[in-house]
């Protein structure tokens, strides 16, 4: 959940239409029209990355929203077991935040997808994910989309690259090999702990850790 | 009885932080405790803030004389990979001096003219440019200076555990030099496991790879990822050697250089476990305090006695003990069944932010009372979506004196410690100085006799090699 009191605004006199801001927006809130950046206030999550990126022209700034809004997806109307099962498929605990900044939970992210989010940008616009540091939650976004069987292709400009590699992806033999060579990493012990958390979509609820 | 407070390193003005203002030690009545007075056996150093910087250039030249540079030919392009935090340690100039001497040495030894300094950023698009301007790097590195960051164009790196993505522009020369620093920094995450390799999972890779490093591996095993990247054929084909600014709580310890990064890493590990082990256990012995953060970067990374505030936030755990699976990065259920961040050091009763950047998440900080000095500073924190939960609980005062009064209202202790960027010294109140001096002898004994042998064995190092 995130409360938003501000949004980005473009100074049309200064904007050169360079498109640098467009590719760094995590929420897909910027589109180019008539060689000018246009902000979609319904999608802007006030991450201020566009302001930071526009470091030559300084054409983007923050302005107060007419009233404060909250980006949060209510999941009370979705079957709890379905949420838990999809979270487990994504390797997540349902109530555990998938982002340290916004504290968006696994089940909120799943609910956002069940309610229509089809891309990483949709997920950010709806939940506020990536409004903070914008870095560490990105793999969680891909994991949740994948668990909900939403296919995403890497965009041509490589603004993001789908990456979900996890310790639990490693085969047991590889884990044992690393453990034997480099015991200080405690890879085997951590791998077992992470594996405990995982179950398949058809797994029983009580198996979730 | 104690020395007057030591002046902290100078601050750099930045787009990302509050306008630099009067330092806490010039406002509050503080004293200073030298690391060497606390622990005479870890006082050795070649530099501390304010000393003659040329010693670092000399030390770099000396250590590089033993490093093989045969692989570098006159027509080659060599990239010196520098990382963000180095530019903030003791004002940043020590790192710049090492880098400058490194470039000069490569050019004179190999005849190679095209030696480029690559200036890395944590996140912001202006960070590298700020360093380049502040340290006049364009002039000092003959115009051969380039910025890089986590959103730059990617290059695929195949590792033994899977595909990850690095930053193309830093690996597209003939050779690169891992030009690093060993400030232990995120001990709560790195756990002093292969510290020297960390940028191969952070600075040198795209944000997606940084994300899996922090989120998809556990607190200890994550440190395998940077080593897997380093050992990949892609990296090894381009790797020339490493040059590292070595630290201890007392200051800069040495410049280390070697093609064998594992050898450097072992030297760092032994040194850090002994020297930082004592400082961290001493911080663990603090029973209560008001912590003042007063520096020119993200507050998490500002030093006192060479130890960052983020480590102090987690000093209630033994961060070096690898039998503890997780010391940070997690949430847990509280007594009400709510999922909350793991607790921070309960000895920190109030946190006063005199000047510190927002922009990174300070997980768990909202569970401790926070007072922010200065209205503009407070407004900057309120605009920060990395820490929405902190600003919900933080109180904002007009200035530092008001913040200290408020902190004392919240918790009545005269034990104050200031994180202001100092190595070699801890600026603090007289009562805190006394506590540190009283606790240090037993801390020293415990580390030497009990903990250090255990920490070393956990990392596969025979204690007889190190002690």
């Amino acid at each position: 959940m995130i409360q938003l009191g501000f949004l980005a605004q473009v100074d049309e006199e200064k904007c050169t239409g360079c498109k640098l801001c467009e590719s760094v927006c995590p929420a897909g809130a910027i589109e180019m029209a008539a060689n000018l950046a246009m902000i979609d206030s319904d999608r802007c999550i006030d991450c201020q990355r566009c302001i930071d990126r526009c470091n030559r022209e300084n054409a983007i700034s923050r302005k107060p929203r007419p009233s404060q809004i909250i980006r949060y997806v209510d999941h009370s109307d979705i079957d709890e077991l379905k949420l838990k099962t999809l979270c487990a498929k994504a390797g997540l605990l349902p109530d555990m935040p998938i982002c340290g900044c916004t504290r968006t939970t696994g089940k909120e992210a799943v609910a956002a997808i069940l309610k229509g989010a089809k891309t990483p940008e949709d997920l950010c616009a709806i939940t506020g994910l990536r409004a903070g540091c914008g870095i560490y939650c990105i793999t969680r976004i891909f994991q949740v989309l994948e668990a909900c069987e939403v296919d995403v292709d890497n965009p041509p400009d490589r603004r993001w690259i789908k990456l979900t590699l996890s310790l639990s992806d490693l085969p047991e033999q590889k884990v044992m090999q690393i453990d034997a060579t480099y015991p200080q990493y405690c890879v085997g012990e951590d791998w077992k702990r992470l594996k405990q958390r995982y179950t398949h979509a058809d797994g029983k609820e009580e198996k979730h850790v | 009885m104690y020395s007057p407070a030591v002046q902290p390193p100078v601050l750099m003005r930045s787009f990302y932080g509050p306008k630099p203002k009067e330092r806490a030690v010039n406002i509050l009545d503080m004293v200073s405790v030298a690391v060497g007075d606390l622990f005479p056996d870890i006082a050795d150093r070649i530099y501390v803030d304010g000393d003659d910087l040329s010693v670092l250039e000399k030390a770099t030249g000396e250590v590089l004389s033993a490093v093989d540079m045969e692989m570098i030919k006159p027509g080659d392009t060599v990239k010196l990979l520098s990382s963000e935090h180095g530019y903030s340690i003791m004002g940043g100039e020590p790192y710049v001096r090492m880098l400058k001497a490194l470039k000069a040495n490569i050019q004179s030894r190999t005849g190679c003219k095209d030696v480029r300094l690559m200036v890395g950023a944590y996140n912001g698009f202006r960070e590298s440019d700020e360093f380049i301007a502040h340290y006049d790097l364009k002039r000092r590195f003959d115009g051969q200076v380039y910025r890089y960051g986590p959103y730059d164009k990617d290059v695929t790196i195949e590792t033994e555990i899977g595909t990850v993505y690095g930053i193309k522009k830093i690996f597209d020369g003939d050779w690169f030099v891992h030009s690093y620093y060993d400030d232990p920094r995120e001990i709560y995450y790195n756990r002093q496991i292969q510290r020297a390799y960390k940028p191969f999972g952070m600075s040198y890779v795209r944000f997606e790879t940084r994300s899996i490093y922090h989120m998809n591996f556990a607190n200890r095993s994550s440190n395998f990822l940077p080593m897997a990247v380093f050992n990949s054929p892609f990296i090894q084909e381009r790797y020339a050697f490493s040059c590292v600014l070595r630290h201890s709580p007392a200051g800069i310890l040495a410049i280390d250089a070697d093609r064998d990064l594992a050898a450097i890493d072992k030297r760092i590990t032994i040194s850090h476990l002994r020297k930082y082990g004592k400082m961290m256990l001493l911080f663990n012995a603090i029973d209560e305090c008001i912590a003042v953060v007063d520096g020119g970067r993200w507050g998490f990374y500002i030093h006192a006695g060479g130890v960052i505030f983020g480590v102090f936030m987690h000093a209630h755990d033994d961060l070096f003990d690898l039998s503890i699976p997780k010391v940070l990065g997690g949430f847990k259920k509280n007594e009400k069944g709510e999922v909350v961040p793991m607790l921070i050091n309960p000895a920190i009763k109030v946190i006063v932010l005199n000047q510190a950047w927002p922009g990174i998440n300070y997980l768990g900080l909202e569970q401790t009372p926070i007072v922010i000095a200065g209205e503009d500073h407070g407004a900057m924190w309120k605009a920060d979506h990395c820490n929405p939960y902190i600003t919900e609980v933080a109180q904002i005062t007009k200035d530092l004196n008001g913040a200290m009064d408020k902190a004392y209202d919240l918790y009545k202790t005269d034990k104050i410690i200031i994180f202001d960027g100092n190595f070699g010294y801890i600026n603090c109140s007289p009562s805190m100085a006394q506590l540190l001096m009283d606790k240090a002898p037993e801390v020293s004994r415990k580390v030497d006799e009990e903990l250090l042998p255990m920490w070393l064995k956990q990392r596969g190092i025979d204690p007889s090699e190190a002690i």
Side-chain angles (χ1 to χ4, degrees):
Chain A
M1 183 183 80
I2 190 161
Q3 292 184 18
L4 299 176
F6 292 84
L7 80 163
Q9 68 174 351
V10 177
D11 183 335
E12 294 184 5
E13 298 295 315
K14 291 182 179 174
C15 179
T16 61
C18 71
K19 301 183 184 177
L20 288 174
C21 57
E22 185 190 21
S23 63
V24 300
C25 177
I30 303 178
E31 284 192 5
M32 306 306 294
N35 216 29
L36 283 176
M38 307 290 285
I39 309 288
D40 181 345
S41 62
D42 290 337
R43 295 185 73 98
C44 177
I45 53 173
D46 188 34
C47 69
Q48 302 161 62
R49 202 154 286 114
C50 55
I51 298 171
D52 187 18
R53 188 69 191 90
C54 190
N55 55 355
R56 290 194 183 153
E57 312 303 333
N58 289 306
I60 311 180
S61 57
R62 291 173 97 207
K63 72 172 179 182
R65 285 181 175 272
S67 60
Q68 196 167 78
I69 62 164
I70 290 174
R71 294 282 166 83
Y72 171 73
V73 178
D74 179 17
H75 42 75
S76 59
D77 55 340
I78 298 176
D79 175 58
E80 190 76 8
L81 184 58
K82 186 172 188 179
L83 289 174
K84 284 185 177 178
T85 304
L86 287 170
C87 284
K89 197 176 166 190
L92 304 171
L93 299 176
D95 291 312
M96 190 78 83
I98 62 170
C99 167
C101 303
T102 64
R103 307 280 165 90
T104 305
T105 61
K107 65 184 180 186
E108 187 190 340
V110 166
I113 296 166
L114 296 178
K115 292 188 175 190
K118 297 201 179 311
T119 63
E121 285 82 3
D122 286 349
L123 205 46
C124 294
I126 294 170
T127 63
L129 280 164
R130 297 193 71 200
C133 75
I135 291 181
Y136 300 112
C137 61
I138 187 72
T139 187
R140 297 292 200 220
I141 291 172
F142 298 134
Q143 285 169 255
V144 174
L145 286 162
E146 192 172 77
C148 295
E149 298 179 1
V150 177
D151 289 330
V152 290
D153 293 326
N154 292 330
D157 63 5
R158 312 282 279 179
R159 65 181 67 180
W160 48 257
I161 305 163
K162 184 181 171 186
L163 183 61
T164 58
L165 176 66
S166 164
L167 176 60
S168 58
D169 293 338
L170 301 189
E172 187 166 9
Q173 194 179 359
K174 182 69 187 171
V175 171
M176 287 167 67
Q177 182 204 328
I178 296 170
D179 235 3
T181 316
Y182 304 104
Q184 67 270 38
Y185 291 107
C186 308
V187 166
E189 191 188 324
D190 286 348
W191 180 81
K192 281 179 195 153
R193 292 171 71 240
L194 277 182
K195 275 289 197 190
Q196 274 188 317
R197 203 195 270 180
Y198 283 66
T199 180
H200 296 289
D202 56 355
K204 300 277 192 234
E205 185 185 2
E206 58 267 27
K207 285 188 182 168
H208 299 174
V209 177
Chain B
M1 179 180 175
Y2 293 104
S3 305
V6 170
Q7 280 300 308
V10 294
L11 304 181
M12 182 184 85
R13 189 166 184 166
S14 171
F15 171 79
Y16 301 101
K19 185 179 167 188
K21 61 182 175 184
E22 191 64 79
R23 306 305 297 270
V25 292
N26 296 331
I27 298 171
L28 309 174
D29 190 18
M30 294 287 125
V31 297
S32 172
V33 184
V35 170
D37 289 341
L38 293 164
F39 303 113
D41 60 323
I42 65 164
D44 52 318
R45 66 184 175 217
I46 61 168
Y47 176 87
V48 74
D49 191 43
D51 288 354
D52 176 9
L53 284 153
S54 66
V55 71
L56 299 168
E57 291 167 294
K58 187 165 174 279
T60 306
E62 284 171 1
V63 74
L64 285 172
S65 65
V67 173
D68 178 15
M69 299 185 191
E70 285 287 309
M71 75 289 282
I72 300 172
K73 306 300 177 199
D76 285 351
T77 295
V78 178
K79 298 200 169 183
L80 311 181
L81 309 192
S82 70
S83 295
E84 186 275 332
H85 290 303
Y87 293 98
S88 67
I89 296 172
M90 281 178 254
E93 185 63 20
Y95 190 46
V96 173
R97 293 295 180 108
M98 183 194 83
L99 294 166
K100 199 166 179 312
L102 173 60
K103 174 177 165 128
N105 197 282
I106 293 170
Q107 288 184 316
S108 67
R109 291 262 308 275
T110 67
C112 176
K113 299 285 178 224
D114 191 3
V115 180
R116 305 179 187 188
L117 177 64
M118 308 303 289
V119 181
Y122 153 61
N123 196 355
F125 294 100
R126 308 177 193 217
E127 286 173 34
S128 302
D129 284 342
E130 288 185 345
F131 290 137
I132 291 167
H134 183 78
Y135 298 106
D136 197 11
L137 298 180
K138 282 279 185 198
R139 182 187 61 78
R140 295 169 77 184
F141 287 80
D142 312 315
Q144 294 170 308
V145 180
Y146 302 86
R147 61 176 178 266
Y148 73 90
Y151 306 105
D152 285 339
K153 191 168 171 47
D154 62 288
V155 64
T156 301
I157 301 175
E158 301 295 347
T159 77
E160 64 176 296
I161 58 171
T163 303
V164 298
Y165 300 96
I167 294 166
K168 185 173 186 291
K169 69 163 76 163
I170 62 175
F171 295 122
D172 64 2
D174 297 290
W175 304 102
F176 76 87
V177 178
H178 177 41
S179 317
Y180 199 43
Y181 46 85
D182 73 344
D183 167 25
R185 200 162 292 275
E186 294 173 330
I187 305 172
Y188 41 82
Y189 197 78
N190 173 264
R191 310 294 299 276
Q192 198 55 53
I193 307 173
Q194 254 75 358
R195 171 72 182 95
Y197 294 79
K198 191 186 169 206
F200 293 93
M202 285 294 289
S203 288
Y204 305 161
V205 293
R206 283 262 303 200
F207 70 108
E208 300 90 345
T209 309
R210 296 184 186 192
S211 175
I212 62 163
Y213 169 61
H214 270 281
M215 304 292 273
N216 284 5
F217 293 75
N219 204 220
R220 300 164 299 185
S221 50
S222 61
N223 297 297
F224 187 75
L225 178 69
M227 195 171 76
V229 173
F230 176 76
N231 287 335
S232 68
F234 176 86
I235 294 295
Q236 287 300 308
E237 284 163 13
R238 293 157 176 81
Y239 171 65
F241 60 90
S242 298
C243 185
V244 181
L245 189 68
R246 297 270 311 276
H247 298 78
S248 86
I252 290 172
L253 197 58
I255 309 290
D256 204 342
D258 206 315
R259 176 159 167 78
D260 184 350
L261 187 55
I264 291 179
D265 190 75
K266 188 172 179 182
R267 293 193 283 271
I268 291 171
T269 301
I270 292 170
S271 174
H272 279 8
L273 293 178
R274 193 164 79 84
K275 295 171 186 252
Y276 279 96
K278 293 192 177 186
M279 285 302 291
M280 284 162 47
L281 194 64
L282 184 63
F283 279 5
N284 173 276
I286 295 172
D287 57 344
E288 58 175 25
C289 71
I290 295 170
V292 179
V293 182
D294 177 57
R297 310 292 292 171
W298 298 281
F300 219 68
Y301 297 124
I302 298 171
H303 299 85
V307 177
I308 63 165
F309 178 62
V311 166
F312 186 48
M313 277 174 61
H314 299 280
H316 54 305
D317 282 323
D318 178 351
L319 308 181
F320 284 157
D321 181 357
L322 297 181
S323 71
I324 303 172
K326 180 173 262 189
V327 294
L328 173 82
F331 294 82
K332 65 172 188 178
K333 284 192 175 175
N334 64 14
E335 60 280 4
K336 294 179 195 165
E338 300 161 333
V339 179
V340 295
M342 292 165 77
L343 286 173
I344 69 163
N345 182 358
I348 305 174
K349 301 301 181 186
V350 187
I351 295 164
V352 172
L353 302 177
N354 185 44
Q355 43 195 337
W357 296 9
I360 60 163
N361 177 245
Y362 296 55
L363 196 62
L365 207 58
E366 75 271 17
Q367 297 174 72
T368 303
I370 300 168
V371 188
I372 303 174
E375 300 288 346
D376 290 351
H377 186 205
M380 190 164 235
W381 278 84
K382 280 198 174 293
D384 175 37
H385 292 307
C386 289
N387 297 287
Y389 294 84
I390 290 178
T391 44
E392 272 180 19
V393 298
Q395 301 185 55
I396 298 170
T397 60
K398 188 178 154 201
D399 55 26
L400 181 59
N401 281 320
M404 296 307 291
D405 289 345
K406 179 67 74 181
Y408 189 72
D409 284 347
L410 291 165
Y411 193 89
K412 302 234 173 333
T413 179
D414 58 3
K415 292 177 205 157
I416 299 165
I417 182 167
I418 301 184
F419 287 79
D420 56 9
N422 267 312
F423 280 68
Y425 305 90
I426 299 170
N427 286 330
C428 57
S429 61
S431 58
M432 175 62 81
Q434 190 61 51
L435 181 143
L436 296 174
M437 289 298 291
D438 290 347
K439 297 281 185 185
E442 171 56 16
V443 163
S444 191
R445 184 207 64 76
K446 190 169 180 183
V447 169
D448 288 340
E449 295 177 13
E450 298 173 25
L451 297 175
L452 182 58
M454 177 186 76
W455 294 333
L456 288 164
K457 280 182 201 162
Q458 287 176 338
R459 290 160 180 82
I461 300 171
D462 182 346
S464 64
E465 262 187 90
I467 299 171

